[in-house]
Every structure is written in C-alpha cells, then in structure tokens.
Amino acid sequence: MRLTIVAATGGIGGQLLTQAVAAGHQVTAVVRNPARLPDLPVRVVTADLATPDPAVLRTAVDESDAVLSGLGARSGAEAGVASRGTRALIEAMGAAGVRRIVVVSAASVGTVPSPGRPNPPRHNPGDGFFMRHLAAPLAKAAFRRHYVDLALMEDALRDSGLDWTVSRPPRLVGGHPTGRYRTAYGQNVRAGMFVSRANVAHHMLDVLDRPETVHQVIGVAH
Ligand SMILES: NC(=O)c1ccc[n+]([C@@H]2O[C@H](COP(=O)([O-])OP(=O)(O)OC[C@H]3O[C@@H](n4cnc5c(N)ncnc54)[C@H](OP(=O)(O)O)[C@@H]3O)[C@@H](O)[C@H]2O)c1
C-alpha cells in the first residue's frame, strides 16, 4: 500500500515507519525534523503540524491509500498539536480524496469530556479497580492538557466523514513488535496496564484493511 506516516520520528511513528517499510509498503514520512529519520527508502515531507500548511499536507497525502499518525505533544506546552495537526490532515485528505486514517490516542481519553462527547462515562468499562481509582485519576491529573488535546482530535475524526480508527493504548513501553497483545472495541483492555510502542504500531498497521475497525475506538494492551 501507499502509506503516509505522520510523526515518523516519534516512538510509535518510528515503529510505524520501520514496520511499514519492512512489510514492503511505499511510505511518505511526514516529520518536522528530517535529520532525525533513519536511513530508509521513503519519501520525506517536512511539516511543523503546530502551524500546518495545507498545500504541504496535500502533497503529503496525495495518492496515499491511508494515513497513519503517531502525532502527539512532546510536552504540556506543546499540547494542542494533535488536534490542530489532525484537523489539518483531515482537510488535506478531503482535498486529495484519501479516506482511511488510523491515529494513536490514549486509554484515559475515554472518560475526558469534549464538545463532541460532553458526557463520557465516569469510568471506562474496561478498567478494573486499580485503574479506575488510582492509575487513571493520577494520569489524568498529570497529563490533563495532553488528554484534552487527544479528546479534541477524536472529536475531529468523528466529525470528519473519513474512515477513521483510533487506537487507545495505556502506558507505553519499549520492546520489539511481537504481535502478541489484546484489543477491545469501544473500551480499554481489561487489566491492560501497558503496551509496547512497537505493538501499538503493529496494531495500527494491522487494522488498515479491516473494515470492522472503521469508526471504532480500540483499546490495545498486553
Ligand atoms: N507516553 C505514554 O505512556 C502514552 C500513553 C498513551 C498514549 N500516548 C500518546 O501516544 C502518543 C505517541 O507516543 P510516542 O511515545 O510515540 O510519542 P513521542 O515519541 O513523543 O512522539 C510524538 C511525535 O509527534 C511529533 N510532533 C510533536 N509536535 C509536532 C509538531 N509540531 N510538528 C510535527 N510533529 C510533531 C514528534 O516529532 P519530533 O520527533 O520532531 O519531536 C514525534 O514524532 C503520545 O504523544 C501520546 O499522545 C502516550
């Protein structure tokens, strides 16, 4: 497939890149700093998604079969980039006639209110006692601005009319892609405390041509 991989210098984005190239896909990498890319046979488009340029993004997605995004704020101060950048990608995809997009969000976002989901459930149905009462409240306090950004990103996708899938991992860790992880549609994975970036990328690539994953928020965890 022809894939546009956004934030290909990030943890998940880098895994998306190497796994997609290894699988024989034709890849366009969208990054703000090309010097950080590994030496791989990909087309590179430079874009700072905090201030997206529609013409550049249009070039990046043109003739792609799908867009995969590992975009996320590296700090609280940069929060807002996931929603702003994804909105710009949605517009570029609309202009180019590209329909499929798979993005990474976060497990805690399911209970974060947003204009599109003003009354989310108080607890994620997949979360057990520890996640509900300790881990989730702590994470939400520490990463509030990131989660609001990701909730707005999810709103934009729900309104986009595109064929979107949102991957919602819990805590990210290192490790090789094993393909051994659990998924849960519309909720977090039961007792799923962490997942490797490599396996999130594996999952994002795996859903690409699975129609049952379109318009789905999917929990992914070990
Ligand atoms: N950390 C966790 O435990 C956790 C848990 C659940 C979900 N998440 C979510 O998963 C996302 C991906 O995780 P990760 O570990 O892959 O994150 P990461 O390594 O911080 O990657 C974030 C990517 O976004 C890119 N980016 C940020 N601002 C940009 C801008 N203005 N223009 C263009 N690109 C920009 C970064 O580019 P540069 O490489 O140039 O900086 C980087 O490639 C996180 O951002 C977070 O939203 C994280």
Side-chain angles (χ1 to χ4, degrees):
M1 292 174 89
R2 286 163 303 188
L3 302 179
T4 299
I5 298 180
V6 179
T9 48
I12 289 172
Q15 285 291 330
L16 285 169
L17 182 69
T18 49
Q19 291 181 41
V21 170
H25 296 298
Q26 200 177 312
V27 173
T28 296
V30 181
V31 296
R32 60 178 164 180
N33 185 358
R36 296 192 57 225
L37 276 172
D39 187 16
L40 287 171
V42 298
R43 182 170 79 108
V44 180
V45 172
T46 304
D48 185 342
L49 290 167
T51 52
D53 177 336
V56 171
L57 290 186
R58 169 74 200 259
T59 313
V61 302
D62 224 11
E63 300 196 3
S64 276
D65 296 309
V67 174
L68 296 133
S69 174
L71 179 65
R74 285 228 182 240
S75 67
E78 286 186 318
V81 72
S83 49
R84 193 172 309 128
T86 304
R87 274 190 217 108
L89 285 168
I90 289 167
E91 275 187 32
M93 290 173 67
V98 178
R99 296 202 49 78
R100 189 77 176 104
I101 179 167
V102 183
V103 307
V104 63
S105 179
S108 295
V109 172
T111 54
V112 173
S114 64
R117 271 174 93 242
N119 300 302
R122 196 151 162 258
H123 301 295
N124 191 295
D127 287 348
F129 183 86
F130 176 76
M131 277 302 272
R132 278 180 188 207
H133 299 291
L134 199 63
L138 282 176
K140 278 167 89 170
F143 300 111
R144 196 186 64 80
R145 296 173 69 183
H146 291 80
Y147 293 154
V148 168
D149 184 20
L150 295 173
L152 292 174
M153 174 187 76
E154 291 191 8
D155 277 0
L157 287 164
R158 273 188 287 269
D159 285 347
S160 68
L162 298 178
D163 296 339
W164 55 266
T165 301
V166 170
S167 179
R168 280 197 193 147
R171 191 163 72 83
L172 297 172
V173 296
H176 297 292
T178 61
R180 287 195 305 276
Y181 48 83
R182 296 174 293 149
T183 58
Y185 281 62
Q187 63 177 62
N188 292 343
V189 171
R190 265 258 164 227
M193 302 294 289
F194 61 90
V195 64
S196 70
R197 290 173 177 84
N199 275 339
V200 176
H202 184 285
H203 177 241
M204 291 172 73
L205 286 161
D206 185 56
V207 302
L208 273 181
D209 52 8
R210 285 171 44 201
E212 72 276 17
T213 66
V214 170
H215 300 156
Q216 295 291 336
V217 167
I218 305 178
V220 56
H222 288 164

